[in-house]
PDB file of all heavy atoms in Angstrom:
ATOM      1  N   LYS G 273      28.118  77.330  60.611  1.00  0.00           N
ATOM      2  CA  LYS G 273      27.618  78.693  60.542  1.00  0.00           C
ATOM      3  C   LYS G 273      26.093  78.763  60.415  1.00  0.00           C
ATOM      4  O   LYS G 273      25.497  79.817  60.638  1.00  0.00           O
ATOM      5  CB  LYS G 273      28.246  79.410  59.327  1.00  0.00           C
ATOM      6  CG  LYS G 273      29.733  79.605  59.447  1.00  0.00           C
ATOM      7  CD  LYS G 273      30.265  80.289  58.226  1.00  0.00           C
ATOM      8  CE  LYS G 273      31.762  80.424  58.317  1.00  0.00           C
ATOM      9  NZ  LYS G 273      32.294  81.019  57.081  1.00  0.00           N
ATOM     10  N   ALA G 274      25.458  77.669  60.066  1.00  0.00           N
ATOM     11  CA  ALA G 274      24.019  77.675  59.791  1.00  0.00           C
ATOM     12  C   ALA G 274      23.190  78.119  60.978  1.00  0.00           C
ATOM     13  O   ALA G 274      22.282  78.931  60.821  1.00  0.00           O
ATOM     14  CB  ALA G 274      23.580  76.285  59.316  1.00  0.00           C
ATOM     15  N   GLU G 275      23.515  77.624  62.171  1.00  0.00           N
ATOM     16  CA  GLU G 275      22.724  77.998  63.357  1.00  0.00           C
ATOM     17  C   GLU G 275      22.864  79.484  63.684  1.00  0.00           C
ATOM     18  O   GLU G 275      21.940  80.094  64.141  1.00  0.00           O
ATOM     19  CB  GLU G 275      23.129  77.166  64.564  1.00  0.00           C
ATOM     20  CG  GLU G 275      22.491  75.801  64.573  1.00  0.00           C
ATOM     21  CD  GLU G 275      22.744  75.067  65.887  1.00  0.00           C
ATOM     22  OE1 GLU G 275      23.078  75.702  66.905  1.00  0.00           O
ATOM     23  OE2 GLU G 275      22.615  73.839  65.871  1.00  0.00           O
ATOM     24  N   LYS G 276      24.011  80.035  63.379  1.00  0.00           N
ATOM     25  CA  LYS G 276      24.245  81.463  63.673  1.00  0.00           C
ATOM     26  C   LYS G 276      23.417  82.358  62.744  1.00  0.00           C
ATOM     27  O   LYS G 276      22.974  83.440  63.126  1.00  0.00           O
ATOM     28  CB  LYS G 276      25.719  81.814  63.543  1.00  0.00           C
ATOM     29  CG  LYS G 276      26.595  81.148  64.579  1.00  0.00           C
ATOM     30  CD  LYS G 276      28.039  81.426  64.350  1.00  0.00           C
ATOM     31  CE  LYS G 276      28.869  80.591  65.306  1.00  0.00           C
ATOM     32  NZ  LYS G 276      30.287  80.658  64.996  1.00  0.00           N
ATOM     33  N   LEU G 277      23.226  81.918  61.489  1.00  0.00           N
ATOM     34  CA  LEU G 277      22.458  82.703  60.552  1.00  0.00           C
ATOM     35  C   LEU G 277      20.974  82.651  60.890  1.00  0.00           C
ATOM     36  O   LEU G 277      20.319  83.685  61.031  1.00  0.00           O
ATOM     37  CB  LEU G 277      22.701  82.208  59.114  1.00  0.00           C
ATOM     38  CG  LEU G 277      24.127  82.330  58.637  1.00  0.00           C
ATOM     39  CD1 LEU G 277      24.245  81.681  57.276  1.00  0.00           C
ATOM     40  CD2 LEU G 277      24.541  83.789  58.548  1.00  0.00           C
ATOM     41  N   GLY G 278      20.431  81.450  60.948  1.00  0.00           N
ATOM     42  CA  GLY G 278      19.082  81.210  61.445  1.00  0.00           C
ATOM     43  C   GLY G 278      17.908  81.824  60.737  1.00  0.00           C
ATOM     44  O   GLY G 278      16.801  81.669  61.191  1.00  0.00           O
ATOM     45  N   ASN G 279      18.075  82.521  59.647  1.00  0.00           N
ATOM     46  CA  ASN G 279      16.964  83.148  58.972  1.00  0.00           C
ATOM     47  C   ASN G 279      16.623  82.368  57.697  1.00  0.00           C
ATOM     48  O   ASN G 279      16.780  82.869  56.602  1.00  0.00           O
ATOM     49  CB  ASN G 279      17.288  84.605  58.647  1.00  0.00           C
ATOM     50  CG  ASN G 279      16.080  85.394  58.217  1.00  0.00           C
ATOM     51  OD1 ASN G 279      14.954  84.985  58.429  1.00  0.00           O
ATOM     52  ND2 ASN G 279      16.311  86.542  57.605  1.00  0.00           N
ATOM     53  N   PHE G 280      16.143  81.139  57.892  1.00  0.00           N
ATOM     54  CA  PHE G 280      15.835  80.265  56.761  1.00  0.00           C
ATOM     55  C   PHE G 280      14.336  79.980  56.695  1.00  0.00           C
ATOM     56  O   PHE G 280      13.617  80.136  57.695  1.00  0.00           O
ATOM     57  CB  PHE G 280      16.555  78.924  56.924  1.00  0.00           C
ATOM     58  CG  PHE G 280      18.046  79.029  56.996  1.00  0.00           C
ATOM     59  CD1 PHE G 280      18.750  78.683  58.123  1.00  0.00           C
ATOM     60  CD2 PHE G 280      18.756  79.489  55.911  1.00  0.00           C
ATOM     61  CE1 PHE G 280      20.093  78.786  58.197  1.00  0.00           C
ATOM     62  CE2 PHE G 280      20.133  79.586  55.955  1.00  0.00           C
ATOM     63  CZ  PHE G 280      20.798  79.231  57.091  1.00  0.00           C
ATOM     64  N   PRO G 281      13.841  79.532  55.559  1.00  0.00           N
ATOM     65  CA  PRO G 281      12.457  79.103  55.469  1.00  0.00           C
ATOM     66  C   PRO G 281      12.254  77.924  56.415  1.00  0.00           C
ATOM     67  O   PRO G 281      13.209  77.158  56.689  1.00  0.00           O
ATOM     68  CB  PRO G 281      12.299  78.634  54.028  1.00  0.00           C
ATOM     69  CG  PRO G 281      13.493  79.074  53.284  1.00  0.00           C
ATOM     70  CD  PRO G 281      14.560  79.413  54.291  1.00  0.00           C
ATOM     71  N   PRO G 282      11.062  77.750  56.969  1.00  0.00           N
ATOM     72  CA  PRO G 282      10.838  76.684  57.931  1.00  0.00           C
ATOM     73  C   PRO G 282      11.250  75.289  57.411  1.00  0.00           C
ATOM     74  O   PRO G 282      11.856  74.523  58.190  1.00  0.00           O
ATOM     75  CB  PRO G 282       9.312  76.726  58.170  1.00  0.00           C
ATOM     76  CG  PRO G 282       8.939  78.140  57.859  1.00  0.00           C
ATOM     77  CD  PRO G 282       9.861  78.552  56.770  1.00  0.00           C
ATOM     78  N   SER G 283      10.981  74.976  56.179  1.00  0.00           N
ATOM     79  CA  SER G 283      11.332  73.646  55.676  1.00  0.00           C
ATOM     80  C   SER G 283      12.854  73.408  55.755  1.00  0.00           C
ATOM     81  O   SER G 283      13.286  72.351  56.141  1.00  0.00           O
ATOM     82  CB  SER G 283      10.830  73.444  54.241  1.00  0.00           C
ATOM     83  OG  SER G 283      11.374  74.452  53.389  1.00  0.00           O
ATOM     84  N   LEU G 284      13.640  74.406  55.438  1.00  0.00           N
ATOM     85  CA  LEU G 284      15.092  74.286  55.487  1.00  0.00           C
ATOM     86  C   LEU G 284      15.567  74.173  56.924  1.00  0.00           C
ATOM     87  O   LEU G 284      16.462  73.403  57.258  1.00  0.00           O
ATOM     88  CB  LEU G 284      15.781  75.450  54.764  1.00  0.00           C
ATOM     89  CG  LEU G 284      17.302  75.386  54.714  1.00  0.00           C
ATOM     90  CD1 LEU G 284      17.775  74.103  54.068  1.00  0.00           C
ATOM     91  CD2 LEU G 284      17.829  76.578  53.933  1.00  0.00           C
ATOM     92  N   THR G 285      14.912  74.917  57.804  1.00  0.00           N
ATOM     93  CA  THR G 285      15.238  74.837  59.227  1.00  0.00           C
ATOM     94  C   THR G 285      15.010  73.425  59.762  1.00  0.00           C
ATOM     95  O   THR G 285      15.828  72.894  60.510  1.00  0.00           O
ATOM     96  CB  THR G 285      14.400  75.855  60.047  1.00  0.00           C
ATOM     97  OG1 THR G 285      14.650  77.147  59.535  1.00  0.00           O
ATOM     98  CG2 THR G 285      14.710  75.793  61.499  1.00  0.00           C
ATOM     99  N   TYR G 286      13.913  72.792  59.343  1.00  0.00           N
ATOM    100  CA  TYR G 286      13.629  71.432  59.761  1.00  0.00           C
ATOM    101  C   TYR G 286      14.707  70.445  59.229  1.00  0.00           C
ATOM    102  O   TYR G 286      15.135  69.550  59.962  1.00  0.00           O
ATOM    103  CB  TYR G 286      12.253  70.946  59.289  1.00  0.00           C
ATOM    104  CG  TYR G 286      11.115  71.708  59.905  1.00  0.00           C
ATOM    105  CD1 TYR G 286      10.040  72.117  59.139  1.00  0.00           C
ATOM    106  CD2 TYR G 286      11.108  72.047  61.259  1.00  0.00           C
ATOM    107  CE1 TYR G 286       8.980  72.803  59.673  1.00  0.00           C
ATOM    108  CE2 TYR G 286      10.043  72.726  61.816  1.00  0.00           C
ATOM    109  CZ  TYR G 286       8.985  73.116  61.024  1.00  0.00           C
ATOM    110  OH  TYR G 286       7.913  73.782  61.587  1.00  0.00           O
ATOM    111  N   TRP G 287      15.134  70.646  57.988  1.00  0.00           N
ATOM    112  CA  TRP G 287      16.171  69.769  57.440  1.00  0.00           C
ATOM    113  C   TRP G 287      17.499  69.962  58.158  1.00  0.00           C
ATOM    114  O   TRP G 287      18.212  68.998  58.428  1.00  0.00           O
ATOM    115  CB  TRP G 287      16.346  69.988  55.931  1.00  0.00           C
ATOM    116  CG  TRP G 287      15.269  69.277  55.148  1.00  0.00           C
ATOM    117  CD1 TRP G 287      14.289  69.851  54.394  1.00  0.00           C
ATOM    118  CD2 TRP G 287      15.059  67.874  55.076  1.00  0.00           C
ATOM    119  NE1 TRP G 287      13.486  68.888  53.856  1.00  0.00           N
ATOM    120  CE2 TRP G 287      13.924  67.673  54.240  1.00  0.00           C
ATOM    121  CE3 TRP G 287      15.688  66.759  55.619  1.00  0.00           C
ATOM    122  CZ2 TRP G 287      13.440  66.393  53.968  1.00  0.00           C
ATOM    123  CZ3 TRP G 287      15.211  65.496  55.331  1.00  0.00           C
ATOM    124  CH2 TRP G 287      14.092  65.310  54.513  1.00  0.00           C
ATOM    125  N   LEU G 288      17.847  71.200  58.486  1.00  0.00           N
ATOM    126  CA  LEU G 288      19.074  71.433  59.243  1.00  0.00           C
ATOM    127  C   LEU G 288      19.001  70.743  60.614  1.00  0.00           C
ATOM    128  O   LEU G 288      19.964  70.141  61.056  1.00  0.00           O
ATOM    129  CB  LEU G 288      19.290  72.931  59.439  1.00  0.00           C
ATOM    130  CG  LEU G 288      19.742  73.707  58.221  1.00  0.00           C
ATOM    131  CD1 LEU G 288      19.680  75.208  58.460  1.00  0.00           C
ATOM    132  CD2 LEU G 288      21.112  73.279  57.780  1.00  0.00           C
ATOM    133  N   GLU G 289      17.846  70.843  61.255  1.00  0.00           N
ATOM    134  CA  GLU G 289      17.638  70.181  62.513  1.00  0.00           C
ATOM    135  C   GLU G 289      17.795  68.681  62.393  1.00  0.00           C
ATOM    136  O   GLU G 289      18.480  68.028  63.203  1.00  0.00           O
ATOM    137  CB  GLU G 289      16.216  70.524  63.031  1.00  0.00           C
ATOM    138  CG  GLU G 289      15.942  70.067  64.398  1.00  0.00           C
ATOM    139  CD  GLU G 289      16.344  71.087  65.446  1.00  0.00           C
ATOM    140  OE1 GLU G 289      16.788  72.190  65.086  1.00  0.00           O
ATOM    141  OE2 GLU G 289      16.214  70.747  66.628  1.00  0.00           O
ATOM    142  N   PHE G 290      17.267  68.115  61.335  1.00  0.00           N
ATOM    143  CA  PHE G 290      17.378  66.689  61.063  1.00  0.00           C
ATOM    144  C   PHE G 290      18.849  66.291  60.880  1.00  0.00           C
ATOM    145  O   PHE G 290      19.326  65.306  61.476  1.00  0.00           O
ATOM    146  CB  PHE G 290      16.567  66.323  59.846  1.00  0.00           C
ATOM    147  CG  PHE G 290      16.775  64.904  59.356  1.00  0.00           C
ATOM    148  CD1 PHE G 290      16.248  63.846  60.054  1.00  0.00           C
ATOM    149  CD2 PHE G 290      17.510  64.667  58.205  1.00  0.00           C
ATOM    150  CE1 PHE G 290      16.433  62.536  59.605  1.00  0.00           C
ATOM    151  CE2 PHE G 290      17.709  63.384  57.755  1.00  0.00           C
ATOM    152  CZ  PHE G 290      17.174  62.322  58.458  1.00  0.00           C
ATOM    153  N   ILE G 291      19.552  67.016  60.049  1.00  0.00           N
ATOM    154  CA  ILE G 291      20.942  66.681  59.738  1.00  0.00           C
ATOM    155  C   ILE G 291      21.805  66.726  61.008  1.00  0.00           C
ATOM    156  O   ILE G 291      22.656  65.858  61.233  1.00  0.00           O
ATOM    157  CB  ILE G 291      21.503  67.603  58.656  1.00  0.00           C
ATOM    158  CG1 ILE G 291      20.798  67.299  57.330  1.00  0.00           C
ATOM    159  CG2 ILE G 291      23.004  67.474  58.520  1.00  0.00           C
ATOM    160  CD1 ILE G 291      21.027  68.362  56.266  1.00  0.00           C
ATOM    161  N   GLU G 292      21.588  67.718  61.864  1.00  0.00           N
ATOM    162  CA  GLU G 292      22.419  67.886  63.028  1.00  0.00           C
ATOM    163  C   GLU G 292      21.983  67.037  64.223  1.00  0.00           C
ATOM    164  O   GLU G 292      22.797  66.668  65.057  1.00  0.00           O
ATOM    165  CB  GLU G 292      22.429  69.366  63.473  1.00  0.00           C
ATOM    166  CG  GLU G 292      23.180  70.244  62.503  1.00  0.00           C
ATOM    167  CD  GLU G 292      23.404  71.604  63.065  1.00  0.00           C
ATOM    168  OE1 GLU G 292      24.295  71.754  63.889  1.00  0.00           O
ATOM    169  OE2 GLU G 292      22.663  72.519  62.638  1.00  0.00           O
ATOM    170  N   HIS G 293      20.695  66.705  64.325  1.00  0.00           N
ATOM    171  CA  HIS G 293      20.179  66.074  65.544  1.00  0.00           C
ATOM    172  C   HIS G 293      19.341  64.828  65.255  1.00  0.00           C
ATOM    173  O   HIS G 293      18.439  64.511  66.050  1.00  0.00           O
ATOM    174  CB  HIS G 293      19.353  67.090  66.342  1.00  0.00           C
ATOM    175  CG  HIS G 293      20.092  68.344  66.648  1.00  0.00           C
ATOM    176  ND1 HIS G 293      21.117  68.418  67.599  1.00  0.00           N
ATOM    177  CD2 HIS G 293      20.014  69.580  66.119  1.00  0.00           C
ATOM    178  CE1 HIS G 293      21.594  69.629  67.625  1.00  0.00           C
ATOM    179  NE2 HIS G 293      20.924  70.373  66.749  1.00  0.00           N
ATOM    180  N   TYR G 294      19.605  64.127  64.179  1.00  0.00           N
ATOM    181  CA  TYR G 294      18.797  62.963  63.820  1.00  0.00           C
ATOM    182  C   TYR G 294      18.779  61.888  64.892  1.00  0.00           C
ATOM    183  O   TYR G 294      17.851  61.098  64.968  1.00  0.00           O
ATOM    184  CB  TYR G 294      19.280  62.342  62.500  1.00  0.00           C
ATOM    185  CG  TYR G 294      20.648  61.737  62.591  1.00  0.00           C
ATOM    186  CD1 TYR G 294      20.810  60.412  62.928  1.00  0.00           C
ATOM    187  CD2 TYR G 294      21.788  62.515  62.372  1.00  0.00           C
ATOM    188  CE1 TYR G 294      22.059  59.858  63.039  1.00  0.00           C
ATOM    189  CE2 TYR G 294      23.028  61.952  62.477  1.00  0.00           C
ATOM    190  CZ  TYR G 294      23.171  60.616  62.828  1.00  0.00           C
ATOM    191  OH  TYR G 294      24.415  60.067  62.935  1.00  0.00           O
ATOM    192  N   ASN G 295      19.806  61.842  65.744  1.00  0.00           N
ATOM    193  CA  ASN G 295      19.853  60.808  66.777  1.00  0.00           C
ATOM    194  C   ASN G 295      19.182  61.211  68.094  1.00  0.00           C
ATOM    195  O   ASN G 295      19.148  60.455  69.045  1.00  0.00           O
ATOM    196  CB  ASN G 295      21.298  60.401  67.046  1.00  0.00           C
ATOM    197  CG  ASN G 295      22.163  61.565  67.465  1.00  0.00           C
ATOM    198  OD1 ASN G 295      21.742  62.719  67.350  1.00  0.00           O
ATOM    199  ND2 ASN G 295      23.349  61.275  67.927  1.00  0.00           N
ATOM    200  N   ASP G 296      18.553  62.377  68.132  1.00  0.00           N
ATOM    201  CA  ASP G 296      17.835  62.855  69.301  1.00  0.00           C
ATOM    202  C   ASP G 296      16.336  62.634  69.065  1.00  0.00           C
ATOM    203  O   ASP G 296      15.655  63.469  68.467  1.00  0.00           O
ATOM    204  CB  ASP G 296      18.156  64.313  69.557  1.00  0.00           C
ATOM    205  CG  ASP G 296      17.483  64.918  70.798  1.00  0.00           C
ATOM    206  OD1 ASP G 296      16.525  64.275  71.303  1.00  0.00           O
ATOM    207  OD2 ASP G 296      17.909  65.981  71.228  1.00  0.00           O
ATOM    208  N   SER G 297      15.808  61.502  69.524  1.00  0.00           N
ATOM    209  CA  SER G 297      14.415  61.113  69.250  1.00  0.00           C
ATOM    210  C   SER G 297      13.416  62.164  69.696  1.00  0.00           C
ATOM    211  O   SER G 297      12.472  62.464  68.946  1.00  0.00           O
ATOM    212  CB  SER G 297      14.088  59.799  69.937  1.00  0.00           C
ATOM    213  OG  SER G 297      14.867  58.778  69.354  1.00  0.00           O
ATOM    214  N   ALA G 298      13.588  62.713  70.882  1.00  0.00           N
ATOM    215  CA  ALA G 298      12.639  63.718  71.393  1.00  0.00           C
ATOM    216  C   ALA G 298      12.604  64.934  70.491  1.00  0.00           C
ATOM    217  O   ALA G 298      11.517  65.445  70.145  1.00  0.00           O
ATOM    218  CB  ALA G 298      12.990  64.125  72.818  1.00  0.00           C
TER     219      ALA G 298
END
């Protein structure tokens, strides 16, 4: 549900990105 909400502070958005896409180097 996190991506659908999307209204997070930038730091939390970066951590969500890391957790979901840590294996995508680019």
Side-chain angles (χ1 to χ4, degrees):
K273 295 179 182 177
E275 278 188 21
K276 294 176 187 170
L277 297 174
N279 192 17
F280 300 116
S283 59
L284 183 55
T285 302
Y286 295 138
W287 281 115
L288 287 170
E289 188 87 4
F290 171 74
I291 291 166
E292 291 190 77
H293 305 287
Y294 67 90
N295 58 348
D296 182 343
S297 295

